[in-house]
Amino acid sequence: LNDPATTKISTSLFVGSVSVYKRQQKSNRQPDNTSVYSSSLSNIVDFEEGKAGIREILEAHFQALYGYSNISILWDAAQNTLSLFLNDNAINTADELWSFTSLAFKNEYVMSYPHIWKTQPNCPQSYVGVIINLARQLGGIVTREQIDDYFARIKQRSPINAMVIRQGLLMFYGSKHFILTEMVELTNERCTAIKAALDKLFERENVSYIVLRDISFEWFSTLPAIKNGCNWTALLLQESIRLRPDIGYRVVFSGLEGQALDTLGAAIVPNNSDISCFADLVHQYCQDKAILGKKMATEELRILLRDMGMLEGNELIYNLHKALKDCRFAFTDENKMVKILER
């Protein structure tokens, strides 16, 4: 089997088979189970030993990584433990190893480049699916740090927050925390219950807006229960409204670009509310507090909004004038002073 001529022939057959396989993949067809596969694989040098070695690597990954592996970590491990097999069969890159592994294990593992799953996953075969799989193993909630640590282990670039929540399969639960949407179960029936609870809250408070940070734990306990005993949070309510606008409410944000996606909005308003932006919200607040027509330091107004719960900490400390770029707020003295006009 180690005769150079035999090695050359088997390598040519394998490369030819890989070319056919790649063309079939590009045309979105599963490769036919024809003799080209059996002939190429049967002529691979030390095929059974090599396949067994790859299986051993993958099974170790599946054990440590919740049923998951990928070509990057497989390639790294194979270079360390199967270097002779790779060399004898001219498998010189991760892509070539992927092609071989796809052929050798096509009926054993689930493969979708660059991902390798032990069994068919009940989630997208993508990086979001990898995070979903991780979150399920951790009880449904996963932190940004846990995601980053896991992706460092699998030697892949960790997805940004926008990518994590883009498909609506994961939601923000708290700052730098995500929850599986399947845990919250935003069915029509449950969304109707959320709407009813918000309707009662607005009726009881008799206000035109509700500050998210001002909602009590007791009120959140009236919402539909979440799996695994997880509690509702203000950010989770905000996310539910984002994903299901038919709940009938929307969240008002400060509107500045560059804010983190897990920033809690200023308030909730009904969909049909005249409050359409942050300036509308602040002006309504100033009207409620009878401070229309008053001139004050910009920081004084910001602190009032912070104490009200519309802002948190140093949020907008130097940018309130940008968030209130509206004719009803007259900023002067290099934006250090502001007069709140009636209209």
Side-chain angles (χ1 to χ4, degrees):
L1 284 175
N2 291 318
D3 178 72
T6 302
T7 299
K8 184 175 181 179
I9 293 171
S10 63
T11 299
S12 298
L13 287 168
F14 173 65
V15 171
S17 172
V18 167
S19 298
V20 171
Y21 179 69
K22 286 182 176 178
R23 287 197 298 271
Q24 289 170 320
Q25 280 192 317
K26 288 180 180 179
S27 63
N28 295 320
R29 294 194 302 268
Q30 289 296 322
D32 296 328
N33 187 21
T34 59
S35 60
V36 67
Y37 298 112
S38 58
S39 63
S40 63
L41 295 180
S42 64
N43 284 283
I44 288 294
V45 178
D46 294 332
F47 169 73
E48 292 299 338
E49 291 84 348
K51 184 176 180 180
I54 291 174
R55 180 185 289 107
E56 184 176 350
I57 293 170
L58 288 174
E59 290 296 333
H61 290 172
F62 296 150
Q63 182 69 27
L65 300 170
Y66 311 120
Y68 175 80
S69 183
N70 64 55
I71 192 58
S72 295
I73 54 179
L74 174 60
W75 173 243
D76 285 350
Q79 285 180 294
N80 289 330
T81 61
L82 298 171
S83 58
L84 183 60
F85 172 77
L86 299 178
N87 182 66
D88 285 348
N89 291 285
I91 300 175
N92 299 313
T93 67
D95 284 346
E96 289 173 351
L97 179 59
W98 174 268
S99 297
F100 170 78
T101 305
S102 297
L103 292 171
F105 293 94
K106 63 188 179 75
N107 295 320
E108 189 168 343
Y109 299 134
V110 179
M111 305 182 68
S112 176
Y113 189 88
H115 311 292
I116 306 172
W117 305 83
K118 182 175 176 63
T119 59
Q120 184 69 41
N122 183 23
C123 59
Q125 294 176 36
S126 63
Y127 290 116
V128 170
V130 171
I131 297 172
I132 290 172
N133 184 55
L134 174 63
R136 285 172 178 165
Q137 300 299 324
L138 299 176
I141 295 175
V142 61
T143 68
R144 180 76 254 183
E145 183 179 6
Q146 288 170 329
I147 292 172
D148 292 343
D149 287 348
Y150 185 86
F151 273 76
R153 292 174 64 193
I154 65 174
K155 299 188 177 180
Q156 300 293 305
R157 180 178 297 179
S158 189
I160 61 174
N161 288 348
M163 181 181 292
V164 174
I165 66 171
R166 182 177 299 160
Q167 295 175 261
L169 301 175
L170 289 138
M171 309 162 65
F172 281 114
Y173 183 69
S175 178
K176 300 180 181 179
H177 286 66
F178 301 90
I179 188 172
L180 292 167
T181 304
E182 64 194 40
M183 296 268 293
V184 188
E185 297 181 289
L186 293 176
T187 61
N188 290 339
E189 182 180 0
R190 289 167 66 85
C191 287
T192 298
I194 294 171
K195 181 184 186 306
L198 283 168
D199 289 345
K200 290 180 181 178
L201 179 61
F202 271 81
E203 183 180 355
R204 185 187 72 195
E205 299 296 328
N206 192 28
V207 291
S208 57
Y209 60 85
I210 296 289
V211 176
L212 275 159
R213 292 183 180 87
D214 202 34
I215 300 177
S216 68
F217 175 81
E218 287 72 24
W219 181 84
F220 279 119
S221 67
T222 67
L223 298 181
I226 301 174
K227 290 180 179 178
N228 291 356
C230 295
N231 295 320
W232 278 89
T233 67
L235 191 54
L236 182 57
L237 176 62
Q238 175 175 297
E239 284 284 85
S240 299
I241 291 172
R242 175 181 67 85
L243 289 177
R244 292 296 302 264
D246 54 322
I247 287 174
Y249 290 83
R250 51 189 168 82
V251 177
V252 178
F253 296 89
S254 66
L256 285 187
E257 293 184 4
Q259 279 194 316
L261 294 176
D262 55 357
T263 299
L264 193 63
I268 298 175
V269 297
N271 277 346
N272 60 0
S273 171
D274 292 333
I275 298 174
S276 61
C277 63
F278 187 61
D280 290 340
L281 176 65
V282 175
H283 196 265
Q284 182 63 54
Y285 165 77
C286 293
Q287 180 177 318
D288 295 343
K289 294 297 180 182
I291 56 175
L292 293 182
K294 182 177 180 179
K295 186 174 183 179
M296 65 178 70
T298 301
E299 178 62 6
E300 181 183 353
L301 176 59
R302 194 193 72 84
I303 290 175
L304 285 174
L305 299 177
R306 184 195 66 187
D307 292 346
M308 182 65 181
M310 294 183 186
L311 302 175
E312 183 175 20
N314 291 328
E315 188 178 353
L316 300 182
I317 189 168
Y318 301 118
N319 296 305
L320 186 61
H321 63 287
K322 295 180 181 178
L324 295 177
K325 198 172 183 179
D326 185 283
C327 62
R328 293 167 292 183
F329 299 92
F331 289 91
T332 57
D333 192 21
E334 297 181 334
N335 300 314
K336 294 179 182 177
M337 299 294 295
V338 60
K339 184 173 182 179
I340 307 158
L341 307 178
E342 290 191 14
R343 59 178 60 86

